[in-house]
Amino acid sequence: FEPNMVLGRSNKLFLRFSDKILCYSENLKNFPNKFKRKIKIIEPLVRKDFYKNPANKRNNKTFNLLILGGSQGASIFDKNIKDTIIEISKNYQLKIFQQTNFENLEELKNFYSNKNIPNHIFDYKKNLYDLIIDSDLCLTRAGASSLSELVFLKVPFIAIPLPSAKDNHQHENAIFYEKKGCCWVIDQKDFNKEKLSKILNDILDNKNEYLRKKNNMEKFNYQNSWNNINEKIIKIINEN
């Protein structure tokens, strides 16, 4: 199973011994042409609880922004986001869910609270499901699982891929969904307060592009149900 848009090094090592490899696309980077016949396409996988109840908990009183920096990259998000949030909160009612390093928890929480911006600041959360379904937009790295979950729950996102990720796989993951019309992508070298502020203001001022991305996610997921994905995987395993 390869959930990324770049063939992982372990999968590449064992590919010659495998009969099939489950992927989300036929166009994986670094995939040997001689083994392309082994690719079997499935819909992006999420955990079972996502299939059970993909309910929409969002309300219209606030615009809820989820910020997922990840364990390796939260600091750059902390640095470039705070001032932008403050500026935008002057015109829009925001609520912030933000992942940060443990050392920054109290400082970031106090920063938003002192500015009267509702917030939930955390360093680790075993199940992000509740926060995702309560979010309108996500600012995130581009790990395969995170992006699959956001798309499945129809939460448009701004992806800032981690540039140090092996074989630049996070960039390729983000581009895959950008081509599907589900997200915006910013290279980390271009990620600054001005760039972020422009995108967020464009989204909040004119919801047309935002709603198009939600609609594209709906189309992308129309066959992605618990029963369908199980039947498809079982069929792939059993076929000769």
Side-chain angles (χ1 to χ4, degrees):
F1 172 53
E2 180 55 75
N4 292 296
M5 292 301 117
V6 178
L7 182 65
R9 298 185 183 192
S10 295
N11 276 341
K12 188 173 184 179
L13 177 65
F14 289 104
L15 189 57
R16 69 183 64 187
F17 307 109
S18 304
D19 293 318
K20 300 158 190 173
I21 181 166
L22 305 180
C23 307
Y24 301 158
S25 169
E26 292 181 346
N27 301 314
L28 270 64
K29 299 286 185 179
N30 299 339
F31 201 103
N33 285 329
K34 63 182 178 180
F35 294 132
K36 286 274 185 151
R37 59 182 172 77
K38 296 186 178 186
I39 291 179
K40 301 294 179 181
I41 303 300
I42 61 170
E43 285 71 32
L45 298 178
V46 295
R47 289 167 292 171
K48 189 173 183 179
D49 53 343
F50 279 69
Y51 292 103
K52 281 183 177 179
N53 184 29
N56 185 342
K57 286 174 41 182
R58 297 163 214 140
N59 61 60
N60 295 320
K61 294 181 180 179
T62 60
F63 189 85
N64 297 347
L65 178 61
L66 174 62
I67 302 165
L68 300 175
S71 60
Q72 300 181 68
S75 60
I76 189 173
F77 283 15
D78 294 349
K79 179 180 177 181
N80 287 315
I81 289 173
K82 293 190 298 185
D83 292 340
T84 300
I85 296 301
I86 297 307
E87 285 300 313
I88 291 176
S89 69
K90 295 175 182 179
N91 299 312
Y92 298 96
Q93 193 171 353
L94 301 177
K95 185 173 183 179
I96 306 300
F97 308 125
Q98 185 164 350
Q99 182 183 42
T100 189
N101 295 325
F102 178 77
E103 293 79 7
N104 297 333
L105 280 174
E106 290 304 315
E107 179 184 348
L108 199 56
K109 181 177 179 61
N110 291 334
F111 176 85
Y112 287 126
S113 297
N114 290 337
K115 301 294 183 179
N116 297 315
I117 298 175
N119 63 84
H120 174 65
I121 311 300
F122 61 98
D123 61 337
Y124 172 76
K125 205 169 187 67
K126 185 176 181 180
N127 188 354
L128 285 172
Y129 176 85
D130 289 333
L131 289 184
I132 295 176
I133 62 174
D134 203 21
S135 300
D136 295 291
L137 180 73
C138 183
L139 185 70
T140 182
R141 291 301 193 184
S145 295
S146 296
L147 300 192
S148 294
E149 292 170 355
L150 290 165
V151 172
F152 185 78
L153 293 178
K154 298 184 287 295
V155 177
F157 56 89
I158 302 169
I160 301 94
L162 184 68
S164 60
K166 280 285 186 185
D167 301 315
N168 209 21
H169 71 267
Q170 285 205 5
H171 173 78
E172 297 300 329
N173 292 345
I175 294 301
F176 173 75
Y177 286 109
E178 183 186 46
K179 289 179 178 178
K180 302 289 183 184
C182 298
C183 68
W184 298 263
V185 179
I186 306 176
D187 285 340
Q188 182 165 301
K189 61 181 175 57
D190 300 322
F191 180 58
N192 53 49
K193 291 182 286 188
E194 293 74 20
K195 182 86 170 181
L196 178 62
S197 180
K198 183 179 186 310
I199 291 179
L200 289 177
N201 276 304
D202 287 346
I203 290 171
L204 290 162
D205 289 342
N206 181 357
K207 293 288 184 65
N208 289 340
E209 183 60 29
Y210 172 82
L211 293 174
R212 270 195 293 271
K213 285 177 168 44
K214 287 181 71 70
N215 187 52
N216 289 335
M217 289 177 170
E218 180 80 41
K219 293 176 181 177
F220 184 76
N221 282 309
Y222 81 101
Q223 287 186 319
N224 197 354
S225 68
W226 180 253
N227 287 335
N228 284 350
I229 196 69
N230 272 280
E231 288 177 6
K232 190 167 190 176
I233 291 175
I234 290 170
K235 183 179 178 180
I236 289 171
I237 290 171
N238 289 332
E239 69 185 6
N240 293 326

